[in-house]
Amino acid sequence: MIEYRQGNYVQDKVIIVTGASSGFGEATARTAAAMGAKVILAARREEKLQQIVKEIKEAGGTAEYIVTDVGIQEQAEAMARFAVDTYGCIDVLVNDAGTMPQAFFADHKLAMKDWEQCLNTSIYGTLYCTCAVYDQMMAQGRGHIINVSSILGDFAVNGNGVYNVSKAGVRYLAESLRTETRGIIKTTVIRPTSVPSTELGKTIVNVNESMAGMYEKLFAAMMKNPYTTPGMNDRNSIQYDAPVAQDIVDNIIYAINQPWGVDISDITVRASGENMYL
């Protein structure tokens, strides 16, 4: 009865990953390729994409890349065409591209352009990429779209208004797509906790006063505390409090690694020992 859980349903799937030049996107592409998927990496930084694809191929994986700004509809459509031209179909789209411009409304003069980019990437980018693969998936009779949201997509938090909107938005885009296509396109929403080691923190506008900034200070102070629990950096410890990208990616891959008839529609990933208030 549980034999399917021991299988590899990632093998031979054609998977597009946006935001693939770093963080969750890069780790998803590498892991999927290592499991036998045919991966298309999409992001804006060509140099990084070239290096990642080179390393995947050297490790025996199958991957190509296309420079893509997901916030530009024509580029999202070109990404989808490239996947079909290269591998013949599109089985999975992982919408990972995004920014986190944490800032207060009082910071609006400083933050507005970053907020606009955040909404353009997360909302329009997810919409454009979803629509770019939609016809192909419907014609195939099956597909799977994974949207990377956040625990901040569920709660309004000071200094996170725009980011809250962006991450709530990708959740509703996924859930409405699933019901509208009546199961032809599976959808998954991944809600990660804070993962300090990714490059997402570089897009914060008001670093000192942001939630991520305060949490980082708290974490740094705890690490200097001689009474700090040793297991905070050990993912095998119940006190683990410093998740890395791979912890999230393992769950993205879990959602992909299912028979076509099984849809893991929603996953929240936290560190067991974290002190996040969301």
Side-chain angles (χ1 to χ4, degrees), residues 16-260:
I16 300 175
V17 183
T18 72
S21 61
S22 66
F24 302 155
E26 176 184 351
T28 297
R30 289 182 184 276
T31 305
M35 293 180 68
K38 301 169 184 176
V39 185
I40 298 290
L41 291 83
R44 292 179 297 176
R45 295 179 291 180
E46 184 168 18
E47 207 170 292
K48 297 211 60 165
L49 291 172
Q50 284 178 333
Q51 183 61 32
I52 296 165
V53 167
K54 178 174 178 287
E55 291 171 4
I56 288 174
K57 288 181 174 180
E58 287 174 347
T62 302
E64 298 295 341
Y65 76 87
I66 180 169
V67 176
T68 309
D69 182 338
V70 297
I72 299 173
Q73 186 176 7
E74 293 77 13
Q75 293 192 25
E77 291 170 348
M79 174 193 74
R81 286 195 302 271
F82 178 73
V84 175
D85 290 345
T86 304
Y87 296 129
C89 68
I90 302 170
D91 293 307
V92 183
L93 165 66
V94 180
N95 283 311
D96 174 63
T99 62
M100 188 175 67
Q102 294 177 327
F104 297 96
F105 287 104
D107 301 316
H108 61 89
K109 290 183 179 177
L110 177 66
M112 189 59 70
K113 287 186 178 179
D114 296 283
W115 286 342
E116 290 172 345
Q117 182 184 355
C118 173
L119 295 174
N120 190 55
T121 301
S122 289
I123 302 297
Y124 283 108
T126 298
L127 176 64
Y128 293 154
C129 290
T130 297
C131 292
V133 304
Y134 178 88
D135 290 346
Q136 177 66 32
M137 288 184 174
M138 293 300 286
Q140 294 167 182
R142 67 187 190 186
H144 187 186
I145 294 179
I146 299 174
N147 289 354
V148 178
S149 180
S150 167
I151 57 171
L152 285 167
D154 295 330
F155 300 94
V157 178
N158 291 348
N160 284 271
V162 172
Y163 188 63
N164 289 150
V165 168
S166 73
K167 290 307 182 181
V170 302
R171 172 163 61 96
Y172 285 112
L173 286 172
E175 291 175 354
S176 61
L177 176 69
R178 177 185 58 81
T179 57
E180 184 179 316
T181 62
R182 297 182 180 273
I184 293 175
I185 298 178
K186 303 195 297 184
T187 66
T188 302
V189 175
I190 304 288
R191 295 179 173 89
T193 187
S194 175
V195 181
S197 60
T198 69
E199 293 185 6
L200 196 60
K202 294 179 180 179
T203 63
I204 295 172
V205 176
N206 188 337
V207 177
N208 292 328
E209 300 301 326
S210 71
M211 186 194 73
M214 288 187 280
Y215 185 66
E216 186 177 339
K217 289 177 186 177
L218 173 65
F219 185 75
M222 291 172 71
M223 292 305 293
K224 292 178 182 177
N225 186 333
Y227 301 104
T228 295
T229 305
M232 288 179 65
N233 291 306
D234 180 2
R235 70 193 310 230
N236 292 307
S237 168
I238 195 66
Q239 300 298 330
Y240 187 47
D241 191 27
V244 296
Q246 194 64 47
D247 297 324
I248 311 303
V249 169
D250 287 345
N251 286 276
I252 295 174
I253 295 297
Y254 171 73
I256 299 172
N257 192 25
Q258 301 293 327
W260 278 110

Side-chain angles (χ1 to χ4, degrees), residues 5-17:
R5 296 185 184 276
Q6 299 166 2
N8 179 1
Y9 294 96
V10 178
Q11 179 82 40
D12 294 326
K13 282 183 176 174
V14 175
I15 302 174
I16 300 175
V17 183

